């Protein structure tokens, strides 16, 4: 598409090679021989030094499309904008050349373990659906806003989560990704586990799960499903559900549907019997 419409690509590749074992990083520039690419990278993520504010732009331009105006403009911009201090710039070649691979491996393995921990704990939280990442240092978690009708959007959800449980996540609204929140996976494991536990407490307190049918609603209201569904009418109680609570709820829905079908069949049979007697 970029080649068809003569559009150059600006690639945000600050997470280059920051992928979990078994995954492969593919640079955008490796996918084309005709479209010019400006790849933006830096030390911030892979080298874990965001405060240094040292980044770069790599130009991939096999056909010299950027030969004059763009290259000149980038040079002028780099000389006019206040950048990182000269000491860090001087150390950059040594940092890139001599940082051992073990540093990157240890960092990725640490983040991957935290990602697995967060995924396991959050998938058991009612109303949350975590997405297991393949790299980087964040996890996106879908919030089923239909189960939290008191919150109008993910921003309100995050604000209440911060005020009540002191757990801060970025709302998906920041990334034009509504109904999601973003977690950071670089914190110590014990703090991550505590944060997930607090999110469970928050969601269990605020979850409202409208029954999918009138019959299920009556069963819940009459506490007939209390033992299997583990909820008061309209909200969960103190975490009686396990990791398979979705399956338990589906079982309850299936049973209720079967009861409804039997009731309808009974009414139909009784109506036909009355007709014959008439």
């Amino acid at each position: 598409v970029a080649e068809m419409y003569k559009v150059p690509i600006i690639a945000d590749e600050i997470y280059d090679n920051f992928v979990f074992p078994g995954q492969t990083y593919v640079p955008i520039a490796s996918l084309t021989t005709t479209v010019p690419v400006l790849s933006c990278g830096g030390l911030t993520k892979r080298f874990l030094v965001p405060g240094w504010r040292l980044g770069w732009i790599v130009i991939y331009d096999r056909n010299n499309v950027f030969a004059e105006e763009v290259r000149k403009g980038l040079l002028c911009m780099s000389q006019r904008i206040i950048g990182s201090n000269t000491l860090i710039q001087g150390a950059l070649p040594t940092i890139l050349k001599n940082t051992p691979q073990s540093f990157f491996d240890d960092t990725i393995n640490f983040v991957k373990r935290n990602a697995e921990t967060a995924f396991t704990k959050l998938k058991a939280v009612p109303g949350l659906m975590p997405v297991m990442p393949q790299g980087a240092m964040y996890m996106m978690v879908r919030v089923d806003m239909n189960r939290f009708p008191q919150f109008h959007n993910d921003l309100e959800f995050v604000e209440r989560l911060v005020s009540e449980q002191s757990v801060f996540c970025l709302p998906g609204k920041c990334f034009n990704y509504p109904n999601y929140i973003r977690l950071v996976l670089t914190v110590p494991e014990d703090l991550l586990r505590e944060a997930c536990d607090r999110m469970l407490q928050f969601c269990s307190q605020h979850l409202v799960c409208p029954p999918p049918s009138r019959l299920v609603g009556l069963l819940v209201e009459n506490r007939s499903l209390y033992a299997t569904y583990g909820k008061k009418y309209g909200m969960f109680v103190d975490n009686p559900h396990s990791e398979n609570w979705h399956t338990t709820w589906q079982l309850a829905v299936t049973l209720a549907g079967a009861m409804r079908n039997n009731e309808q069949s009974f009414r139909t049979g009784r109506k036909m019997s009355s007709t014959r007697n008439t």
Side-chain angles (χ1 to χ4, degrees), residues 19 77 125 137 156 174 191 202 216 240:
V19 295
M77 183 178 67
V125 176
M137 54 182 66
E156 290 188 9
C174 296
L191 295 181
F202 176 83
V216 174

Side-chain angles (χ1 to χ4, degrees), residues 36-276:
V37 176
L38 298 179
S39 175
C40 304
L43 295 180
T44 298
K45 306 302 182 181
R46 278 193 78 206
F47 292 83
L48 308 179
V49 284
W52 288 12
R53 301 295 181 186
L54 183 60
W56 51 78
I57 298 176
V58 179
I59 302 174
Y60 297 91
D61 185 18
R62 296 179 177 85
N63 299 314
N64 293 320
V65 177
F66 293 156
E68 297 183 8
E69 294 183 3
V70 175
R71 288 178 180 267
K72 182 179 179 180
L74 291 173
L75 178 61
C76 292
M77 183 178 67
S78 67
Q79 294 175 339
R80 294 178 61 183
I81 296 179
I82 297 177
S84 58
N85 64 66
T86 54
L87 292 177
I88 298 177
Q89 293 183 50
L92 181 60
T94 302
I95 293 173
L96 295 178
K97 181 180 179 180
N98 296 335
T99 301
Q101 182 61 37
S102 59
F103 169 80
F104 302 113
D105 294 340
D106 291 344
T107 299
I108 290 175
N109 289 332
F110 172 84
V111 175
K112 183 175 184 291
R113 286 195 302 270
N114 273 1
E116 292 171 342
T117 297
F119 181 79
T120 299
K121 293 184 73 67
L122 292 180
K123 73 178 182 179
V125 176
L128 298 186
M129 284 145 280
V131 180
M132 182 62 188
Q134 297 178 336
M137 54 182 66
Y138 308 104
M139 173 178 287
M140 299 301 294
V141 180
R142 181 172 176 266
V143 182
D144 188 351
M145 300 304 298
N146 291 328
R147 297 178 184 266
F148 302 98
Q150 66 271 50
F151 306 125
H152 294 96
N153 50 52
D154 50 76
L155 177 59
E156 290 188 9
F157 182 90
V158 167
E159 289 175 340
R160 288 287 293 276
L161 181 60
V162 172
S163 63
E164 295 183 15
Q165 294 292 341
S166 298
V167 176
F168 178 72
C169 306
L170 274 181
K173 185 177 182 179
C174 296
F175 315 101
N176 196 28
Y177 214 53
N179 301 334
Y180 278 80
I181 58 177
R182 193 186 77 170
L183 278 68
V184 177
L185 300 173
T186 54
V187 299
E189 184 180 355
D190 58 334
L191 295 181
L192 180 65
R193 287 181 177 276
E194 180 180 354
C196 292
D197 291 339
R198 292 188 179 205
M199 293 175 71
L200 171 61
Q201 182 179 354
F202 176 83
C203 291
S204 298
Q205 178 181 353
H206 292 285
L207 185 78
V208 174
C209 184
S213 71
R214 177 176 174 273
L215 181 56
V216 174
L218 291 174
L219 290 174
V220 172
E221 189 171 16
N222 294 330
R223 301 189 178 184
S224 301
L225 290 181
Y226 181 85
T228 55
Y229 185 38
K231 73 188 291 286
K232 299 177 185 175
Y233 182 62
M235 68 172 60
F236 277 87
V237 296
D238 297 335
N239 188 24
H241 51 280
S242 60
E243 291 189 3
N244 65 341
W245 71 273
H246 296 87
T247 305
T248 304
W249 171 239
Q250 186 58 48
L251 174 61
V253 174
T254 302
L255 291 174
M259 293 172 63
R260 179 178 56 190
N261 293 336
N262 289 338
E263 182 181 1
Q264 291 176 347
S265 298
F266 175 75
R267 288 179 179 177
T268 301
R270 186 171 59 179
K271 184 176 181 181
M272 293 178 61
S273 177
S274 299
T275 304
R276 292 194 189 98

